[in-house]
Amino acid sequence: SRPLPSEAAMAVSFGLLVVAALEAVMTNGAEILGLGEDIEALEPGKLGNVIAIDGNPVQIQTEVTKLFTLGPAVATDNKHKSL
């Protein structure tokens, strides 16, 4: 969901380790949904998305610069960036 990165950033500001915050956003969610075996890591035969960002992953101002969903690149432009 959209506020999830903000929640992770807030948790880090209250003392949660950055690694634990990233696991909470990525790995733990997959495991809760029962998808951990399919998407838990970037390995052959598993599903995955990859993002490239322009800063610290738990800072709110960090933006996604590239997004790859199941292989091909996906546009990250949206109308909110152009405002």
Side-chain angles (χ1 to χ4, degrees):
S1 93
R2 217 168 205 342
L4 192 56
S6 300
E7 298 294 335
M10 188 179 305
V12 169
S13 73
F14 282 106
L16 186 67
L17 295 175
V18 173
V19 172
L22 293 175
E23 286 176 348
V25 171
M26 299 182 293
T27 307
N28 295 352
E31 289 177 3
I32 289 169
L33 295 172
L35 302 172
E37 303 240 344
D38 297 325
I39 61 175
E40 194 170 71
L42 289 176
E43 296 175 355
K46 292 192 176 186
L47 303 174
N49 300 330
V50 176
I51 61 169
I53 55 175
D54 65 359
N56 186 331
V58 293
Q59 288 185 343
I60 295 171
Q61 65 269 25
T62 298
E63 293 189 24
V64 174
T65 57
K66 296 203 182 289
L67 168 64
F68 299 89
T69 303
L70 301 176
V74 177
T76 59
D77 295 336
N78 64 55
K79 66 180 180 179
H80 301 286
K81 285 185 177 181
S82 63
L83 295 177

